[in-house]
Each structure stands twice: as C-alpha cells, then as structure tokens.
Amino acid sequence: MAGEDSSAPKRKRPMGLKARSSKKANAVTSAGAQEVADFADETTATVMLRGDDTNEIDELEGIFTSALEALGESEDERALTLLRGTVHESDRLLRLHDTNGEGELEPRFFYIYGSALFSLAEASQDIKDRGVYLELAVHRLEQAREKMGDGVEARVWIALAKVKLEIAAEAASDVDAAVQALDQAVQAFGANNEAAQVLEAADLVLSLADSQRLPVCASARLIAWGMAQARRLLQTQADSDECRCILAHALWLQASAMINDDDEISDTLVFAKLLTEAVNVLEKTESSDGLVLRGEIEINLGNAQDEELEMEQWYTKAVASFRRAQEMGELPEQFVQFIDDFENESDSDESDE
C-alpha cells in the first residue's frame, strides 16, 4: 500500500465488516425451538379456554401474552405449547362464531390470532410450515386492519411489517410492502411514546438488513429507513444513547455495503466519511453496547488506512473503547482477543527497537 515500507513487517489487520457479517447466522429465529406439531384437531389442543362467564378473547390474549413471556425467558417448549393453544382456540372460536351466526368478532381477536401464527412461524424449523404460518398470519392481521377502518392501531401495522419482512427474507424479495406498513405504524404512533416504539422498529429493520437474508437493494432500503428515523428523532432526542447507536449502526451498515467479496472498498473516501460520522455520533456514548460498536467501527477505519501509523492510531482508539466497555461488563471474546493481540504486538515492536 502507498506510504508503507515494503521491507518492514506488516501488522495483521483484524477482520473487516464483510468478513464479520459473513460469520453471522443466516436466520433470525427462536434458538432451540422444536418443530411445531399439527394443531388442526382437538387432540392437539394443549390449552383450552374455560368457556365460563369470562371474556374468552381476554383469556385468549392472556394465553398469548404468557407465550411471549415464555419465549423471552427461553422456555421454548412451554412457549410452543401456549402458542399452539392460542392458535387452536382461535380457530375453534372462529368456527363456533361462524356456526352460530353471531355478530362480528372484534379486531383484537384477529390481531392475537395473526400474531400467534407469526410466532409459530418464527419457532418452526420446517420451511414448509413456516411458509404456511406466515401466509395465514398475514391473512388474519389484514382482517384486523380492515375491521379497524381508519383507526388502525400501530401494533397491527408493526405486526404486519414483521410478517411481511419475514416473508421477504424467506423469498429473498423486495421489502416494499413491509416499508409501507412501517410508515403507517410511524404515523399511527403519534406523539405518545413515539420515540421508543420507532427506535424499536428501526432496530428491527437494521438487524434484518445485517442478517444477509435479503437482496442488496432490499437491505439498502431498510438501512435507509432506519437511518432516516434515527436522524429525525435525534432532532428532539439529542440525549438518547439508543438513538445515537441506531444511527451509527445504520451508517456502519451502509459503509459495509461498499466492501466487495474480495474485502476491497469501492469508494474509500465515502467509506471513511460514513464511518467517521458514525464514530462522531457515538462520541458521547456511555453505554457498553455503544462503546463496543464504536470500537468495531474504529477497527474498520484502521483497516481502511494506507499508512501504518494512521492504522495503529485507529486501533489504539478501538482498544480504548473496548476497555471502557469492559469496565461496564463482559466484553465479547473476539474483542478481548483483539486487545491482547494488539498490545502484545505493540510490546514486541517496542522490544525490537
């Protein structure tokens, strides 16, 4: 590279963005989930509604909420039991309602039904089952949306966006329908608690864009959406560390798209500009996640340098960021190893002088 002494020993550069992302799992699903059994008849109904004077939809929602709590606690078998029960009871209530010719079921019922189907799709390891669950989930959530008329709740738009994003990832297709649902959700949030919910949605789309499950153009659109939301919210949430981290993540992903399969950067000036902005955005971060992200970005800025001195300066900054993160808790092993390798090599260089 320009500016280097070809006779001097070269420091081994750590893994770059492209290499790092290639080591990620190709799917974002519930770890360790068992294959979902058929729930089409009553012999598989592991959860039954009491059927007394209680509101059955309230009870159904309680079962589904318990399933989500079990998923959050990695109790996969219990979660699957509750999800299967939610779907089975939803189907039973719908058939009973149709048979009796009663009035319309409320939109909340279809939201619960569709959301439970989506959670089953995420838990399933069978590709065919996943596809069936996702299509059914869209159908039920669209019914919830239609029944709400002009006042569609934000949670329904978010649920539709999640399902449509997963369908796009499964088919490696575009994300137009999902982005439209996300835009509708942002409008529906309004002023109350908007920031937290929009940032959660932005984090979701950036995680999918980083998963390598979508075409490049689809990932780029999600990155742009997440970046736009973070920039907008920073105007009123300047002290939000989460907002800064999401914007930096989006800038980082945009830069990573400029690295080809040979680990070469298509435009080093734009690459450096994006990552430098990301580092600046994280300048005041005080969170462990923010510091680790800043350290990773500083490593990649170091990798992009032609001059050995500039490369080492960025690596030194990365070590400082990782050290601060380490003081707050456990540091991922690859960064502990980076610190050890860099400092050991620095000590070796000094002893050779």
Side-chain angles (χ1 to χ4, degrees), residues 240-260:
S240 169
D241 198 77
E242 183 182 6
C243 197
R244 288 195 293 262
C245 285
I246 287 175
L247 176 55
H249 189 195
L251 290 163
W252 185 31
L253 290 175
Q254 200 168 68
S256 76
M258 303 179 69
I259 305 175
N260 63 26

Side-chain angles (χ1 to χ4, degrees), residues 296-311:
E296 290 186 83
I297 295 170
E298 287 164 339
I299 287 176
N300 283 277
L301 276 166
N303 289 347
Q305 304 306 312
D306 288 336
E307 300 290 344
E308 185 83 11
L309 179 60
E310 293 176 355
M311 179 182 69

Side-chain angles (χ1 to χ4, degrees), residues 225-340:
W225 190 89
M227 185 183 296
Q229 298 304 320
R231 287 194 189 281
R232 180 176 65 82
L233 289 176
L234 267 178
Q235 296 177 5
T236 56
Q237 307 281 329
D239 295 329
S240 169
D241 198 77
E242 183 182 6
C243 197
R244 288 195 293 262
C245 285
I246 287 175
L247 176 55
H249 189 195
L251 290 163
W252 185 31
L253 290 175
Q254 200 168 68
S256 76
M258 303 179 69
I259 305 175
N260 63 26
D261 293 336
D262 295 323
D263 221 18
E264 295 176 346
I265 302 168
S266 60
D267 189 326
T268 55
L269 291 177
V270 175
F271 179 84
K273 181 180 179 181
L274 289 169
L275 292 189
T276 300
E277 182 183 355
V279 169
N280 292 337
V281 166
L282 293 171
E283 182 180 4
K284 296 181 180 179
T285 187
E286 294 296 332
S287 69
S288 175
D289 287 344
L291 289 165
V292 169
L293 176 59
R294 191 172 77 186
E296 290 186 83
I297 295 170
E298 287 164 339
I299 287 176
N300 283 277
L301 276 166
N303 289 347
Q305 304 306 312
D306 288 336
E307 300 290 344
E308 185 83 11
L309 179 60
E310 293 176 355
M311 179 182 69
E312 293 199 11
Q313 287 173 342
W314 279 113
Y315 290 172
T316 300
K317 291 178 180 180
V319 168
S321 296
F322 291 145
R323 287 290 190 199
R324 285 185 60 196
Q326 198 170 32
E327 292 171 0
M328 299 179 185
E330 188 174 351
L331 186 68
E333 180 59 34
Q334 67 265 36
F335 303 128
V336 174
Q337 188 64 51
F338 170 77
I339 293 173
D340 291 342

Side-chain angles (χ1 to χ4, degrees), residues 35 65 69-70 82 91 130 154 173 212 226 239 246 256 289 321:
E35 183 175 337
T65 299
E69 290 172 353
L82 292 168
D91 185 58
R130 284 173 60 81
S173 61
Q212 295 188 311
D239 295 329
I246 287 175
S256 76
D289 287 344
S321 296

Side-chain angles (χ1 to χ4, degrees), residues 184-253:
Q184 292 289 343
V186 171
Q187 292 181 28
F189 284 140
N192 296 329
N193 300 319
E194 178 203 26
Q197 295 178 88
V198 174
L199 287 176
E200 183 179 350
D203 188 47
L204 169 72
V205 301
L206 292 180
S207 295
L208 181 57
D210 198 16
S211 70
Q212 295 188 311
R213 299 177 62 205
L214 291 168
V216 172
C217 58
S219 291
R221 186 164 188 200
L222 293 184
I223 293 167
W225 190 89
M227 185 183 296
Q229 298 304 320
R231 287 194 189 281
R232 180 176 65 82
L233 289 176
L234 267 178
Q235 296 177 5
T236 56
Q237 307 281 329
D239 295 329
S240 169
D241 198 77
E242 183 182 6
C243 197
R244 288 195 293 262
C245 285
I246 287 175
L247 176 55
H249 189 195
L251 290 163
W252 185 31
L253 290 175

Side-chain angles (χ1 to χ4, degrees), residues 127-160:
I127 295 176
K128 184 178 180 181
D129 283 349
R130 284 173 60 81
V132 171
Y133 295 152
L134 289 172
E135 292 298 331
L136 287 172
V138 169
H139 177 63
R140 296 308 181 193
L141 289 169
E142 288 288 3
Q143 285 182 290
R145 180 188 64 78
E146 291 168 2
K147 291 179 180 296
M148 287 182 179
D150 294 333
V152 180
E153 296 176 12
R155 65 175 182 170
V156 174
W157 287 119
I158 287 294
L160 275 168

